[in-house]
Amino acid sequence: MKNKTEIFPLAFGTGRLPEIELHKKKIPDQDVIDQMIQYAVDNGINYFDTAPLYCNSQCEQAVGRALHSFRDCIYLGGKLSADDIKTDHCREALMKTLKNLQTDYLDYYLFWGINQYFFDEVIVKKKVLDQMRIFQQEGLIHKIAFSFHGDAKGLSYIIDEAQKRGVKFDACLMQYNLLDRSNEKSMAYSHSLGVKTMIMGPAAGGRLAIPSDLFKKVHNTNVSSTYELALRFVLSNPNADIVLSGMSNMNMVKENIKIAKSSEILNWKKVKEALAEIESFRELYCTGCKYCQPCPAEIQIQDIFKCYTIFRVYDLASYAKGAYERYKKAGGKTFQDCLMCGQCEKKCPQGLSIRKWLKKVDDIMNEIQDSFCFSEHEHEEIF
């Protein structure tokens, strides 16, 4: 710990690490990952967020290899899944994570993706808070935290109820961005209590990474893109202690660091004036997290919803149509293949009516004229 500095405001999310195909299976591109993480550490990033199921359950091993020589100067965050909690495998899960990450301890250990109901009915009843304290006493973890998916009021509730049971959460990870400010009050509340506020999804699952003229409406001297605006919007919130960005290539690492080190202050008056317009973006809020996967019918739900985002949010009908047709041409399944089992809706952290939206998107895409579809190269650039 003595070699560690304060956590840099920008953190490295490892859920979207680059992959390569080997023997018809996707595996982490270790060489590229090593280069990305080396550059990140050299340029100030010192918090790395991991989870056992990221990157086809290979994230922890890849990060462990890349960070092994930097362990004394960086912070590692790991996650305890709901399944491991429900099946009483908390210790086994933690020990596996430590082994994968090639470390003796985690700086932060998070209950993964919980809400108020899960906290009350599972964590409290199974006395998992007590288990976390034991892990802490044993030196296996240093800080107890949680990542949150649920109604905003539930976040404050979890913090307060844990405190009543003798456990003060050290940090909480929540979603917050230009499109979704529902946790804004909870951010302020947790920050006021000294609970470190970590933010995920600053670019709204990629929706704010797509080129648009939105940034012109909140123009600031050196804001040159919607993505930069989105990231700086979150970084500029005084209640955001750490902002996690899932990084998938070196260019993203470099751009994020450049933005995080910028001293420019956003014009908040103009930002607020534009928020009313941004509200309309929320009609279908899919972050692309893939928690809905695997789908029994093999429908890539997040890819289909990306097409709708391009159509609805950015008014690029032909672009969206082209992306949808290429998805189908590559063998992608659609609503026509849906088994109507509803498994996806049970797993969706946003609570989306996925089956209804799959049909709606399919209907809309089929109605769009085929003319002026964008090229495959341009499609890849926007995704």
Side-chain angles (χ1 to χ4, degrees):
M1 292 291 291
K2 65 181 180 180
N3 296 324
K4 295 182 182 179
T5 59
E6 184 68 21
I7 298 179
F8 189 63
L10 175 69
F12 199 123
T14 61
R16 302 186 183 187
L17 295 174
E19 298 175 320
I20 55 175
E21 191 167 300
L22 182 66
H23 305 307
K24 297 184 179 180
K25 292 184 179 180
K26 287 188 175 182
I27 63 171
D29 189 341
Q30 193 67 52
D31 289 341
V32 175
I33 293 170
D34 290 348
Q35 293 169 19
M36 290 167 59
I37 287 181
Q38 174 77 61
Y39 184 90
V41 173
D42 288 345
N43 286 275
I45 291 180
N46 59 357
Y47 183 87
F48 293 81
D49 173 79
T50 70
L53 298 182
Y54 287 168
C55 306
N56 299 308
S57 301
Q58 300 174 90
C59 164
E60 291 179 338
Q61 295 94 325
V63 173
R65 295 187 191 104
L67 280 174
H68 182 63
S69 60
F70 305 117
R71 185 63 186 99
D72 291 339
C73 60
I74 59 95
Y75 297 84
L76 266 178
K79 298 192 180 78
L80 178 61
S81 75
D83 285 341
D84 286 323
I85 294 172
K86 288 188 286 189
T87 57
D88 299 316
H89 288 144
C90 298
R91 180 172 289 275
E92 293 90 336
L94 173 57
M95 299 311 294
K96 183 177 180 180
T97 287
L98 293 175
K99 180 180 179 181
N100 288 340
L101 290 169
Q102 301 184 36
T103 184
D104 297 325
Y105 69 95
L106 292 175
D107 296 282
Y108 289 86
Y109 199 36
L110 289 73
F111 291 115
W112 188 7
I114 67 172
N115 55 27
Q116 182 176 330
Y117 177 84
F118 189 85
F119 178 81
D120 283 338
E121 297 301 317
V122 182
I123 291 175
V124 171
K125 289 185 176 180
K126 284 182 170 289
K127 299 182 179 180
V128 187
L129 287 173
D130 293 336
Q131 292 185 55
M132 293 290 257
R133 281 191 293 194
I134 292 172
F135 295 155
Q136 200 173 38
Q137 291 165 3
E138 294 174 347
L140 298 175
I141 65 175
H142 289 175
K143 306 286 187 181
I144 302 173
F146 68 97
S147 70
F148 181 77
H149 287 289
D151 180 82
K153 293 181 180 178
L155 195 150
S156 301
Y157 172 89
I158 291 172
I159 292 174
D160 292 341
E161 289 300 310
Q163 183 77 53
K164 292 177 184 177
R165 289 168 171 77
V167 174
K168 180 183 183 299
F169 277 113
D170 297 292
C172 57
L173 174 61
M174 67 192 78
Q175 187 163 272
Y176 177 70
N177 53 60
L178 273 169
L179 304 186
D180 183 359
R181 298 166 59 219
S182 59
N183 285 321
E184 204 162 64
K185 290 182 179 179
S186 299
M187 288 171 61
Y189 181 71
S190 61
H191 187 78
S192 71
L193 296 177
V195 179
K196 195 173 289 293
T197 303
M198 301 177 173
I199 304 301
M200 58 182 164
R207 294 175 74 191
L208 289 169
I210 299 175
S212 79
D213 290 333
L214 174 64
F215 72 94
K216 293 180 180 178
K217 301 179 183 300
V218 286
H219 185 265
N220 192 48
T221 307
N222 291 324
V223 175
S224 58
S225 69
T226 310
Y227 178 78
E228 180 180 352
L229 169 66
L231 186 53
R232 285 178 55 187
F233 171 80
V234 180
L235 286 166
S236 297
N237 188 314
N239 296 315
D241 296 304
I242 305 171
V243 180
L244 272 60
S245 176
M247 304 190 215
S248 57
N249 57 65
M250 182 64 83
N251 286 338
M252 187 177 292
V253 176
K254 292 180 177 180
E255 180 65 16
N256 283 352
I257 291 173
K258 179 181 177 182
I259 293 171
K261 290 185 174 181
S262 171
S263 60
E264 290 288 325
I265 304 298
L266 285 177
N267 185 323
W268 280 93
K269 181 179 180 181
K270 290 186 177 180
V271 171
K272 292 180 179 179
E273 289 173 353
L275 288 178
E277 178 177 341
I278 296 171
E279 293 291 326
S280 65
F281 287 25
R282 295 188 190 178
E283 184 183 10
L284 172 58
Y285 187 66
C286 171
T287 68
C289 68
K290 299 184 182 180
Y291 284 10
C292 57
Q293 298 297 314
C295 164
E298 299 183 352
I299 301 173
Q300 296 301 308
I301 297 164
Q302 69 285 347
D303 292 342
I304 291 175
F305 287 173
K306 279 182 183 177
C307 297
Y308 183 77
T309 296
I310 295 170
F311 165 75
R312 176 68 179 87
V313 177
Y314 300 98
D315 199 26
L316 299 173
S318 295
Y319 210 138
K321 174 74 170 182
Y324 194 65
E325 291 302 316
R326 278 185 291 278
Y327 167 80
K328 292 194 295 182
K329 186 177 180 180
K333 308 297 185 180
T334 68
F335 174 75
Q336 310 304 324
D337 304 287
C338 182
L339 302 177
M340 301 303 287
C341 65
Q343 290 186 27
C344 55
E345 295 178 2
K346 294 176 182 178
K347 295 185 287 185
C348 177
Q350 307 300 329
L352 296 176
S353 300
I354 292 175
R355 290 170 289 181
K356 180 194 78 172
W357 277 106
L358 284 173
K359 183 179 187 307
K360 181 173 181 177
V361 173
D362 189 64
D363 289 343
I364 290 173
M365 294 301 148
N366 289 331
E367 291 173 0
I368 298 174
Q369 296 299 313
D370 291 330
S371 60
F372 305 111
C373 289
F374 283 65
S375 70
E376 185 172 355
H377 171 72
E378 289 169 311
H379 165 74
E380 290 174 349
E381 286 296 312
I382 203 167
F383 280 175

